[in-house]
Amino acid sequence: MKKRILVAPLNWGIGHATRCIPIINALIDTGFEPIIASDGQALDLLKKEFEGVTCLTLPAYNVTYAKSKTWFKWLMLWQLPKIKKAIKKEYRATQKIIEDYNIKGIISDNRMGVLSKSVPSVFITHQLNVLSGSTTKLSTYFHDHYLKAFDECWIPDFENQPNLSGSLGHNFKNKGLTIKYIGPLSRLEKIKVKPKYDVMVLLSGPEPQRTILEEKLLSDLINYKGKVMFVRGKIEAEQTVMFESPFTIYNYMQTEELQQAINKSELVVSRSGYTTVMDLAKLGKQAFFIPTPGQFEQEYLADYLNNQGIIASCSQEDFTLKQLERVTAYSGFKAFNNTIDFKGLFLLFQG
């Protein structure tokens, strides 16, 4: 009988779910049986990607996100008690899943309550330092409190320079954790295809900011002289496609279709979420980043790559069509081949 491994990504946009796709595939390829657990759009996406895999629903965090950058952090801090309650519910649900499905290992992508004292538990994060401005010490302390309960922490980045996460995943004091830099995670592969789109807009992330940026980009790019592929990042029951010059608009794409579309696009306009950074870096793409207002992680990553002359970026309120002219002064990502030693990582679950 195959050992069952619980894989549980956080439902914050779809990035945590998509970067778990290569892990789930690796588990299947190495003889394990993955059990997927999440909620919301993250779970919906993985159900579409893995139709034959058992998918379970975990308690939702039900976090509310601010429209204003000014209030983003303070609203998150105000909701900490609610988040802590959700983590406790998540932990209880996890113990029942372990018992009901005979789970032999856990891989949690930023779900702090998905762990166990009885089976090996792994936490995936690119943030050992959780940036939140003047409250960075508090947010990092809160994160550490839960992180230390896991057996291992996997960082999806290179340990040394050059790397993609900068000080988010590096330059920290030894916290008594078993930390492994596993290399960037991406479900996508670079392929040789003829360019088809001048610009691809790739949206993701929590509401209401996803919709705010969608409406802004549709308005600003309406006068663009070129072909624009627009992927809204809304995981719905059926895929829809609309043609409204200069746009071809999809509500969502699954892996193979998205891989083709990005490879066929000259420029990608998107948020600077870390999963998007990993995907575009692997494909060696030119991009323009618009970080989610008030989300310090995305603002840091955009500045980090901008200051290195790799990817141009600007704030959401400052974006105009003219901003895209700046990309010619940036190098874009250089494609890399990264082979992750999944067999070695999965030895944790063989004991």
Side-chain angles (χ1 to χ4, degrees):
M1 182 177 177
K2 294 180 179 180
K3 288 188 175 182
R4 291 175 175 168
I5 308 299
L6 182 65
V7 182
L10 182 67
N11 178 37
W12 179 301
I14 57 175
H16 295 282
T18 59
R19 73 186 189 188
C20 283
I21 289 174
I23 294 175
I24 296 168
N25 281 323
L27 285 168
I28 294 170
D29 292 342
T30 51
F32 292 94
E33 180 184 349
I35 303 292
I36 297 169
S38 190
D39 67 285
Q41 288 207 331
L43 185 59
D44 292 341
L45 181 146
L46 292 174
K47 284 180 177 178
K48 292 179 182 295
E49 292 284 341
F50 298 99
E51 293 184 0
V53 174
T54 299
C55 293
L56 307 172
T57 302
L58 288 171
Y61 284 28
N62 290 323
V63 174
T64 303
Y65 306 99
K67 289 185 178 181
S68 166
K69 173 180 177 177
T70 303
W71 293 105
F72 188 95
K73 175 179 72 174
W74 301 113
L75 183 58
M76 292 299 295
L77 290 173
W78 181 76
Q79 294 178 95
L80 278 180
K82 181 171 74 172
I83 294 172
K84 291 176 72 174
K85 287 182 180 179
I87 291 171
K88 288 182 179 179
K89 289 182 180 178
E90 185 177 69
Y91 179 80
R92 290 194 293 268
T94 299
Q95 308 321 301
K96 189 172 190 310
I97 291 172
I98 291 170
E99 183 178 349
D100 291 349
Y101 290 86
N102 192 27
I103 299 296
K104 297 300 182 182
I106 291 172
I107 301 174
S108 169
D109 190 328
N110 274 261
R111 297 197 81 118
M112 296 175 179
V114 181
L115 78 162
S116 172
K117 296 177 181 178
S118 62
V119 301
S121 301
V122 173
F123 192 81
I124 297 177
T125 183
H126 60 277
Q127 292 190 80
L128 292 172
N129 301 302
V130 184
L131 305 184
S132 61
S134 61
T135 56
T136 291
K137 286 186 177 180
L138 175 62
S139 54
T140 300
Y141 175 83
F142 178 78
H143 190 257
D144 285 352
H145 172 73
Y146 291 97
L147 183 57
K148 290 176 181 178
F150 288 81
D151 296 293
E152 291 186 0
C153 177
W154 294 352
I155 312 293
D157 196 4
F158 302 111
E159 183 171 4
N160 302 309
Q161 290 284 358
N163 60 66
L164 300 176
S165 65
S167 64
L168 290 176
H170 301 80
N171 304 326
F172 61 96
K173 295 180 181 179
N174 191 320
K175 302 176 181 181
L177 302 172
T178 300
I179 294 173
K180 295 181 178 180
Y181 287 89
I182 67 173
L185 283 167
S186 176
R187 57 178 169 157
L188 307 179
E189 299 291 340
K190 185 174 178 61
I191 54 177
K192 290 185 177 181
V193 289
K194 291 183 179 180
K196 183 177 181 180
Y197 302 101
D198 298 286
V199 173
M200 177 180 188
V201 174
L202 186 59
L203 293 178
S204 62
E207 297 290 5
Q209 291 296 340
R210 191 213 61 82
T211 294
I212 292 171
L213 181 58
E214 176 183 330
E215 292 172 350
K216 181 174 181 59
L217 290 176
L218 285 172
S219 175
D220 289 353
L221 294 175
I222 192 68
N223 296 316
Y224 181 74
K225 305 300 181 183
K227 293 183 178 179
V228 181
M229 159 76 75
F230 209 103
V231 182
R232 300 173 63 215
K234 291 180 70 70
I235 311 302
E236 297 172 329
E238 300 292 334
Q239 186 186 67
T240 59
V241 188
M242 295 183 291
F243 301 96
E244 300 177 4
S245 184
F247 305 116
T248 302
I249 304 173
Y250 286 76
N251 54 346
Y252 73 90
M253 287 182 172
Q254 289 184 238
T255 297
E256 186 173 345
E257 194 172 24
L258 183 66
Q259 178 175 281
Q260 285 279 341
I262 296 177
N263 276 287
K264 289 179 179 179
S265 300
E266 297 282 4
L267 173 69
V268 177
V269 177
S270 70
R271 296 295 195 195
S272 49
Y274 188 64
T275 299
T276 301
V277 169
M278 290 191 291
D279 285 342
L280 299 183
K282 186 172 183 182
L283 301 186
K285 300 304 297 184
Q286 181 60 276
F288 190 96
F289 285 148
I290 307 170
T292 300
Q295 195 163 324
F296 285 86
E297 169 215 355
Q298 290 195 15
E299 292 173 342
Y300 169 80
L301 287 169
D303 287 342
Y304 176 66
L305 295 165
N306 184 87
N307 293 338
Q308 293 184 73
I310 298 174
I311 301 294
S313 61
C314 74
S315 68
Q316 185 166 291
E317 63 181 2
D318 288 340
F319 181 82
T320 64
L321 183 56
K322 191 171 180 63
Q323 288 276 6
L324 298 185
E325 297 174 7
R326 296 172 46 220
V327 301
T328 56
Y330 292 76
S331 67
F333 287 114
K334 304 302 181 186
F336 64 85
N337 289 317
N338 175 49
T339 301
I340 298 176
D341 181 17
F342 283 116
K343 286 186 177 180
L345 292 171
F346 296 160
L347 287 176
L348 178 67
F349 309 128
Q350 299 285 16

